[in-house]
Amino acid sequence: MRVIRSAAALRRALSEPEPESKRGFVATMGALHEGHLSLVRAARATEDVVVMSIFVNPLQFGPQEDFAAYPRDEDRDLAHAEAEGVDVTFVPSVEEMYPPGANTGVRAGSIARTLEGIARPGHFDGVCTVVAKLFNMVEPHRSYFGQKDAQQVAVIKQMVRDLAFGVEIVVCPTVRDADGLALSSRNAYLTPRERERARSLHRALETGRELLESGSDADVVGETMARVMTESAIEIDYASVVDPETFEPWRGEDVALLVVAGKVGRTRLIDNLPVTMSAETSTPPSLLRKRG
Ligand code: AMP
């Protein structure tokens, strides 16, 4: 595996020896866990060349967020990448990605205006800017992202469409611990008691799924998910049912996405669960009543 730290060296490395080989790309902020590695494995299974980046992107953190404290362990991450068969790991510094004077950015599209976009102003602009720049540097055929960050995936797909990037976005399922908690680098911040309380995010989603499948109104589902989390002293940002592509409120489409976010102590966690509706349950009772 080659470890590369500059954009110029990356370009040289990727132009040899077979410039036409299919290249898969996995962007990460490091602190690698099985969720990240599942993306690498999916890429390894299909691509000739697998490129991973490790970069904690300051642009996507708000002023009150955890940029400085974000877990970093390069040696461990590189060992994982090597073991999974990554060909090239790109580990740029902040100065390499944003040299003095760099101030052009991407403004995320309409999908960024809700949920995470409200809770974290500017976050998706930072994500789009770094991902666009990494796409330009790596020039992948396909890029692999996690369902764990569902709104991020939708925002990036929108950017790829709107700005005509020639890259296919592949979405991989959320990897969870045995008790349902979605793996996240931020789980490392949790105390054992908080880790216990954090399970309520997944419990809320499962409860929400059951209610939705049995025909409950989206508002009731959202309120119930919020209650499940509040019972575990989670400070809620949102608990909603949305359309998985537009992130607008769900209106009975075939697939609904349950989304939750909140703080466990000082640690902010997010999770989501897609629910495919069967024919009998796909129209919310509230809409039936209005039509009826
Ligand atoms: P991050 O390092 O948090 O920026 O994440 C890098 C990539 O890994 C993103 O595409 C995430 O959606 C994905 N990812 C993070 N956690 C998980 C998980 N538990 N399961 C699947 N993918 C994940």
Side-chain angles (χ1 to χ4, degrees):
M1 182 179 77
R2 295 175 73 173
V3 179
I4 291 182
R5 296 180 191 276
S6 79
L10 181 67
R11 207 168 275 283
R12 278 197 301 278
L14 295 177
S15 63
E16 60 185 45
E18 296 168 57
E20 294 312 313
S21 57
K22 293 279 183 222
R23 193 176 300 150
F25 175 51
V26 179
T28 82
M29 298 205 298
L32 300 183
H33 52 63
E34 282 293 315
H36 300 111
L37 301 182
S38 73
L39 308 186
V40 171
R41 284 175 204 140
R44 186 69 285 168
T46 9
E47 313 293 348
D48 301 320
V49 175
V50 176
V51 181
M52 184 174 82
S53 62
I54 299 176
F55 179 61
V56 185
N57 174 33
L59 285 195
Q60 69 190 71
F61 288 78
Q64 310 302 325
E65 293 184 359
D66 56 341
F67 173 69
Y70 198 83
R72 292 163 170 89
D73 189 343
E74 188 181 304
D75 291 344
R76 181 181 159 281
D77 288 346
L78 292 177
H80 274 305
E82 172 109 59
E84 296 296 338
V86 171
D87 298 293
V88 174
T89 300
F90 181 47
V91 197
S93 63
V94 172
E95 295 69 33
E96 179 66 21
M97 286 302 281
Y98 306 115
N103 61 19
T104 303
V106 177
R107 183 173 53 80
S110 54
I111 297 168
R113 290 197 200 120
T114 180
L115 302 173
E116 286 301 285
I118 294 171
R120 305 183 67 187
H123 169 68
F124 284 124
D125 290 352
V127 169
C128 284
T129 299
V130 79
V131 170
K133 198 153 179 175
L134 289 166
F135 282 172
N136 284 335
M137 291 168 164
V138 177
E139 297 186 7
H141 291 85
R142 276 183 284 264
S143 190
Y144 294 73
F145 289 87
Q147 172 68 28
K148 161 74 174 30
D149 298 284
Q151 194 177 2
Q152 170 173 280
V153 169
V155 166
I156 288 171
K157 281 183 171 173
Q158 188 175 39
M159 176 184 80
V160 163
R161 273 193 311 274
D162 290 353
L163 301 185
F165 280 97
V167 53
E168 180 189 336
I169 303 301
V170 181
V171 186
C172 300
T174 302
V175 178
R176 300 176 178 283
D177 267 340
D179 63 2
L181 181 68
L183 298 190
S184 163
S185 305
R186 291 192 168 93
N187 293 352
Y189 299 146
L190 301 172
T191 64
R193 280 184 105 123
E194 288 172 342
R195 172 70 185 68
E196 195 58 32
R197 284 160 52 203
R199 294 169 64 179
S200 66
L201 271 79
H202 183 245
R203 263 205 320 276
L205 292 171
E206 285 296 342
T207 307
R209 179 170 61 82
E210 279 166 30
L211 285 175
L212 203 64
E213 285 176 347
S214 58
S216 289
D217 191 286
D219 289 344
V220 172
V221 172
E223 283 157 20
T224 309
M225 293 195 298
R227 194 166 61 243
V228 171
M229 289 159 64
T230 308
E231 279 165 8
S232 289
I234 310 284
E235 190 191 316
I236 296 184
D237 264 342
Y238 54 78
S240 317
V241 191
V242 298
D243 177 304
E245 274 159 31
T246 62
F247 279 75
E248 297 286 324
W250 180 69
R251 306 221 180 279
E253 293 86 358
D254 291 348
V255 184
L257 187 71
L258 305 178
V259 288
V260 294
K263 273 189 164 173
V264 192
R266 294 158 64 94
T267 304
R268 188 170 182 280
L269 299 177
I270 63 173
D271 201 352
N272 70 85
L273 192 67
V275 181
T276 304
M277 306 301 292
S278 66
E280 310 89 72
T281 54
S282 64
T283 308
S286 58
L287 295 185
L288 282 175
R289 277 200 300 278
K290 278 178 210 149
R291 280 180 206 149

